[in-house]
Amino acid sequence: MIKHPGFRVEPWALHETELRMELLAQSESLFALSNGHIGLRGNLDEGEPHGLPGTYLNGFHELRPLPYAESQYGSPVSSQTTVNVTNGKLIRLLVDDEPFDVRYGQLRVHDRILDFRAGTLTRTAEWTSPAGRTVRVVSRRFVSLTHRALVGISYELEPLDGPASVVVQSELVANEQLPVSPDDPRTAAALESPLECEEQQAMQRGAVMIHRSRRSGLRMAAAMDHVINGTSKARITTESSPDSARVVVTDVLGQGRRLSLVKFVAYGWSRERSVPALRDQVAAALAAAAQAGLEALLADQRRYLEDFWARADVEIGGDSELQQAVRFSLFHILQAGARAERRAIPAKGLTGSGYDGHCFWDTETFVLPVLTHTAPTAAADCLRWRHSTLGAATRRARELGLSGAAFPWRTIEGEECSGYWPAGIAAFHVNADISDAVIRYVDATGDESFEQDFGLEILVQTARLWRSLGHHDFQGGFRIDGVTGPDEYSAVADNNVFTNLMAARNLGGAAKACERHRNEARELGVTSEEMADWRAAADRIFIPYDRRLGVHPQAEGFTDHEMWDFTVASPDRYPLLLHFPYFDLYRKQVVKQADLVLAMQLCPDRFSEEQKARNFDYYERITVRDSSLSACTQAVLASEVGHLRLALDYAAEAALMDLHDLEHNTRDGLHIAALAGTWIALVNGFGGMRDHAGVLSFSPRLPDGLTSLAFSLVRRNAWLRVEVRAQSAVYRLTKGDGPLRIVHHGEPLTLTKDVAIERPIPEIEQREEPAQPPGREPLRRSPGGVRP
């Protein structure tokens, strides 16, 4: 992992056996813990050294101004930035007056395990101080998936070579100093001391601290309590100040004697609640933790994850590294959304501050399809958050002279945070991406009450946006001009195919939902005439096609542009956006990420098989994958059109995006959408799963190098398990009585409980692989998962 032999390949854990200082920031992201409400980077217990300290509360942010050289109508005046909140992870140790710091003395043993089934991060260290005293420290950390506000840490200390005088300092620290960010738009803005103290109080074995963000006016509370077991000589003191609180334990331990400490930390934040209310909230969380006890909480954590893995696990035969990677991915996807509860799922989850903690369209297009089929409650909560931001989206639409709702390209709380409109604000496809996630969620779950209470209004307001943004031309076609599609190296283009197709689905889906919920639609002011207008626009959507080349241009006129000269970009000049002006990228045929190819994945019925093959080959030659979102989509279409070996290469790239730090920015947090892309590449790619127009279909095929693939899906009230081998696929219900109707390579099947159906997998024509831009080929995946 990360080209580091200290990481072991294990099926159910991320295991580090050697500490490399130059990889500290990356490992902090990989070992991050979260429940969707609280996020802790995998910093060392003692806090230093660190790459990037990080403790986050979902949605808690600060405001910062967006300066412009010239004023521009409609441009946001401020942005929202995630805040590193009060750090409750810190437990510092002094042995005979020597601070435990891995940069000094000798670290004899370092072992960290992120356990995907237990939901814990366990660290074992044996350290010899500069004075020659050796101690063993074992810590275990978890962010509770069953108690939303709670973090638990156990810390055990033992001298190994004689008696030692020890001091343990368990702390809460606000306004930690952060490292200066590089000049990279993907990193976060550095904020100095964003929190001001409103209350701090030390108690017998704990403390509470309440802070307020200086500009956004949000209030947060952090509190800690301890259970301490030492010798009869142990002494405990507490102290606090505006930005720190500390519980200090001193003891003298003989050889073989141990000092153990259990630390519970509770977090909460609010815009409206008062200081006493937040203080009481975190106090109640600590009381509940003390009542349950550490072992019961850990047992609850394991049971929660056992239930998740029973319905979500993906099993791979023939590639142990991919097996580990897909479980690593699913674990972090669950952590990002499990207890978000009407908050966003940021691009980095709560694993780092990259992209300022903003949520993008990545969430609805990549993350929510995975959660919809594995943890649907989390998917629904994320869409409820989008619904809660409709007020900001409708205001934004009016500001832009449009009807309906214009959802932001990047945000934390609902307001647009992008100051660069061609690549960001003009990316109106985010509205269709959100509506698509609503449609897919309702199809997969049958959750009519969600559609009635939340989904319908999203569909209606986004449909109104498209009808006001587009227009019927003199030939009767419906055009959407001057927008930016998923490919951010092309901007302000006419009739982007992805945007138009997704808008058509949005318009048609809104009309159908209004038919199902006529009373609620009337309350939203929807008329029969408006619904007919939506249907007409959807039916007449303009999809450009280049008959000369026999391919779909990504947008109207795209295939007439000059080809990018790939010889000007050496390997160290990627991503291109950091080395070339956008102006030059926009007017050439060079693609940052799958755009037209993504349209073929999400709208498969709008392209013939031959068109898919020709389009895929054409765009392979000009797609540079400067986005972590691209490889999984390319894997899916490569698999569908017969490039199975190439599909495996792309699937591995998606799976190892962070584990191998392929984008060189894992230090800022994990790529949550790319992690979701691991599932997409395997399930939608080699499993051939499509969930389109209410029909669940499969066209599975395995590449050489994988001997088997098995995965589960949640569909309505049933759990479906699919097992794929080289020659056949087996389908069975593992929960629910059925019937569940699916399609296997075009053949309708009806599943009932405890009856497995096996079907052969037809052969596919193996096509000659297309070329990629020079130097941008995916790494070739060898049989057994060993990279040459």
Side-chain angles (χ1 to χ4, degrees):
M1 300 293 162
I2 320 182
K3 299 178 181 178
H4 173 6
F7 280 89
R8 295 180 179 175
V9 175
E10 297 181 4
W12 284 103
L14 183 64
H15 191 173
E16 180 188 50
T17 60
E18 179 184 350
L19 183 64
R20 292 285 184 91
M21 300 299 293
E22 70 274 15
L23 299 175
L24 197 57
Q26 291 94 321
S27 67
E28 290 167 352
S29 298
L30 298 177
F31 286 114
L33 292 173
S34 173
N35 62 7
H37 171 56
I38 305 166
L40 307 181
R41 280 178 62 80
N43 305 117
L44 301 177
D45 299 284
E46 53 275 13
E48 295 181 15
H50 59 241
L52 175 67
T55 304
Y56 310 106
L57 293 176
N58 195 348
F60 191 89
H61 66 275
E62 183 59 299
L63 301 176
R64 64 181 178 89
L66 284 175
Y68 299 94
E70 298 178 6
S71 61
Q72 304 172 52
Y73 174 80
S75 293
V77 296
S78 68
S79 184
Q80 300 154 4
T81 299
T82 192
V83 172
N84 178 35
V85 301
T86 306
N87 184 357
K89 304 186 295 289
L90 288 170
I91 300 178
R92 304 186 195 273
L93 168 65
L94 290 87
V95 180
D96 291 340
D97 295 326
E98 293 278 1
F100 174 30
D101 187 323
V102 297
R103 294 168 292 191
Y104 304 97
Q106 182 181 2
L107 186 63
R108 296 178 177 272
V109 172
H110 170 85
D111 191 272
R112 282 195 291 182
I113 299 174
L114 180 65
D115 189 322
F116 309 148
R117 290 182 289 192
T120 56
L121 175 61
T122 301
R123 177 196 184 200
T124 301
E126 292 184 7
W127 176 73
T128 300
S129 72
R133 178 67 68 221
T134 302
V135 295
R136 178 188 294 124
V137 175
V138 179
S139 67
R140 183 168 47 174
R141 180 189 301 172
F142 70 100
V143 176
S144 178
L145 294 164
T146 58
H147 292 67
R148 184 172 184 256
L150 191 65
V151 171
I153 304 170
S154 66
Y155 190 90
E156 188 174 83
L157 165 67
E158 177 186 0
L160 297 182
D161 58 358
S165 174
V166 299
V167 179
V168 176
Q169 300 170 323
S170 179
E171 300 186 57
L172 294 173
V173 175
N175 290 318
E176 293 177 292
Q177 185 176 0
L178 299 176
V180 177
S181 300
D183 186 17
D184 186 331
R186 299 168 296 181
T187 59
L191 299 179
E192 184 176 351
S193 300
L195 302 174
E196 52 186 3
C197 184
E198 292 190 303
E199 181 176 293
Q200 46 88 13
Q201 180 182 353
M203 298 170 284
Q204 183 179 7
R205 296 192 178 189
V208 62
M209 298 174 65
I210 300 176
H211 285 79
R212 191 180 183 91
S213 56
R214 297 181 188 277
R215 294 190 181 91
S216 63
L218 305 181
R219 178 175 287 125
M220 65 146 297
M224 64 178 175
D225 195 9
H226 299 81
V227 178
I228 300 166
N229 288 295
T231 72
S232 59
K233 298 179 180 179
R235 181 172 175 266
I236 303 169
T237 60
T238 62
E239 56 189 60
S240 67
S241 64
D243 280 349
S244 68
R246 183 180 298 118
V247 173
V248 182
V249 184
T250 60
D251 206 347
V252 178
L253 301 177
Q255 185 173 350
R257 297 297 299 272
R258 298 175 181 175
L259 172 66
S260 67
L261 176 149
V262 173
K263 179 179 187 178
F264 293 122
V265 186
Y267 288 97
W269 77 267
S270 175
R271 184 183 295 279
E272 290 84 18
R273 286 198 293 274
S274 65
V275 168
L278 273 178
R279 185 199 314 125
D280 291 348
Q281 178 186 341
V282 292
L286 290 180
Q291 175 69 24
L294 177 67
E295 295 306 318
L297 291 168
L298 289 170
D300 288 345
Q301 187 90 334
R302 183 174 285 274
R303 280 192 293 269
Y304 184 101
L305 286 163
E306 284 174 353
D307 182 65
F308 171 72
W309 290 116
R311 64 179 184 271
D313 191 22
V314 176
E315 300 170 55
I316 298 172
D319 194 319
S320 58
E321 190 178 38
L322 280 187
Q323 177 64 86
Q324 180 190 42
V326 69
R327 286 178 175 146
F328 171 84
S329 299
L330 283 166
F331 178 73
H332 275 293
I333 293 164
L334 177 68
Q335 287 199 129
R339 302 303 302 273
E341 296 176 11
R342 305 199 186 192
R343 294 290 174 192
I345 296 178
K348 296 287 188 179
L350 299 178
T351 67
S353 58
Y355 293 109
D356 285 302
H358 291 161
C359 173
F360 295 76
W361 67 285
D362 314 8
T363 296
E364 281 78 14
T365 300
F366 296 89
V367 180
L368 291 198
V370 181
L371 290 175
T372 292
H373 290 102
T374 60
T377 300
D381 272 339
C382 186
L383 290 171
R384 290 187 184 99
W385 166 74
R386 280 292 191 187
H387 180 270
S388 75
T389 68
L390 261 174
T394 54
R395 289 192 297 273
R396 181 62 172 161
R398 288 195 297 271
E399 187 177 35
L400 298 175
L402 300 169
S403 301
F407 282 102
W409 186 59
R410 59 187 299 171
T411 191
I412 292 177
E413 200 170 47
E415 290 76 22
E416 179 61 70
C417 290
S418 173
Y420 186 64
W421 69 269
I425 299 168
F428 288 100
H429 67 85
V430 67
N431 296 278
D433 303 329
I434 294 166
S435 72
D436 183 59
V438 169
I439 293 167
R440 290 180 186 277
Y441 170 78
V442 173
D443 281 348
T445 63
D447 190 345
E448 294 184 6
S449 63
F450 168 85
E451 183 179 53
Q452 178 178 307
D453 296 339
F454 301 98
L456 180 68
E457 189 174 9
I458 291 175
L459 293 172
V460 166
Q461 298 297 357
T462 48
R464 286 172 172 164
L465 179 282
W466 294 118
R467 186 58 191 88
S468 67
L469 184 65
H471 69 281
H472 290 280
D473 62 20
F474 68 93
Q475 295 178 323
F478 189 75
R479 301 175 58 89
I480 303 174
D481 295 330
V483 299
T484 301
D487 171 33
E488 294 152 22
Y489 288 172
S490 299
V492 198
D494 295 342
N495 295 300
N496 172 261
V497 172
F498 176 89
T499 301
N500 283 17
L501 288 176
M502 295 292 282
R505 176 177 294 174
N506 190 165
L507 290 159
K512 290 177 182 178
C514 289
E515 290 284 358
R516 290 191 293 270
H517 305 286
R518 288 182 175 271
N519 291 336
E520 290 77 14
R522 277 194 295 270
E523 291 177 4
L524 294 171
V526 179
T527 64
S528 298
E529 291 77 14
E530 186 176 25
M531 291 161 57
D533 195 18
W534 294 343
R535 293 192 189 96
D539 291 342
R540 297 168 187 169
I541 198 76
F542 176 59
I543 305 301
Y545 184 72
D546 187 332
R547 297 188 182 280
R548 174 178 56 90
L549 295 174
V551 300
H552 288 83
Q554 181 172 279
E556 189 176 7
F558 177 80
T559 49
D560 295 327
H561 291 178
E562 182 183 357
M563 282 286 180
W564 177 264
D565 182 4
F566 290 100
T567 64
V568 304
S570 56
D572 63 346
R573 300 188 79 185
Y574 286 93
L576 297 178
L577 64 92
L578 298 183
H579 301 279
F580 297 91
Y582 269 124
F583 160 75
D584 207 22
L585 297 171
Y586 289 164
R587 63 194 187 95
K588 303 286 180 63
Q589 288 193 62
V590 59
V591 176
K592 179 182 180 183
Q593 63 201 74
D595 187 310
L596 191 281
V597 176
L598 181 60
M600 295 192 295
Q601 176 190 332
L602 298 183
C603 305
D605 60 319
R606 303 301 294 262
F607 303 87
S608 69
E609 296 306 310
E610 182 59 28
Q611 286 174 342
K612 290 177 184 177
R614 291 180 64 85
N615 286 338
F616 181 81
D617 287 3
Y618 186 88
Y619 286 94
E620 274 294 284
R621 295 186 291 113
I622 58 174
T623 301
V624 296
R625 299 194 320 288
D626 279 350
S627 167
S628 63
L629 303 178
S630 196
C632 65
T633 299
Q634 290 170 277
V636 172
L637 265 295
S639 179
E640 181 173 352
V641 303
H643 303 306
L644 291 174
R645 180 173 170 174
L646 180 60
L648 181 59
D649 297 340
Y650 281 134
E653 182 172 301
L656 300 172
M657 186 65 62
D658 287 311
L659 290 171
H660 284 184
D661 196 13
L662 299 180
E663 292 278 319
H664 309 296
N665 60 355
T666 297
R667 61 168 290 120
D668 301 316
L670 302 179
H671 298 78
I672 299 300
L675 295 179
T678 308
W679 186 93
I680 289 169
L682 295 169
V683 174
N684 295 122
F686 303 131
M689 192 274 276
R690 298 291 185 274
D691 184 9
H692 183 67
V695 177
L696 188 62
S697 63
F698 300 88
S699 298
R701 287 190 177 90
L702 291 183
D704 291 339
L706 298 187
T707 58
S708 63
L709 171 68
F711 55 89
S712 296
L713 301 172
V714 177
R715 185 74 177 183
R716 303 290 171 116
N717 295 318
W719 292 5
L720 168 66
R721 180 174 171 84
V722 181
E723 299 172 358
V724 183
R725 294 191 178 275
Q727 303 299 323
S728 65
V730 177
Y731 304 92
R732 61 166 58 89
L733 294 184
T734 58
K735 185 176 181 180
D737 296 327
L740 178 64
R741 293 176 176 83
I742 64 170
V743 176
H744 167 84
H745 281 287
E747 178 190 357
L749 303 175
T750 300
L751 301 175
T752 56
K753 189 177 181 182
D754 299 326
V755 177
I757 298 179
E758 183 172 6
R759 286 293 184 270
I761 295 176
E763 294 287 335
I764 189 172
E765 177 186 355
Q766 295 291 321
R767 299 175 180 267
E768 182 180 352
E769 284 189 10
Q772 291 77 37
R776 304 305 287 171
E777 306 87 352
L779 292 175
R780 181 61 70 188
R781 194 75 180 165
S782 299
V786 179
R787 293 200 175 235

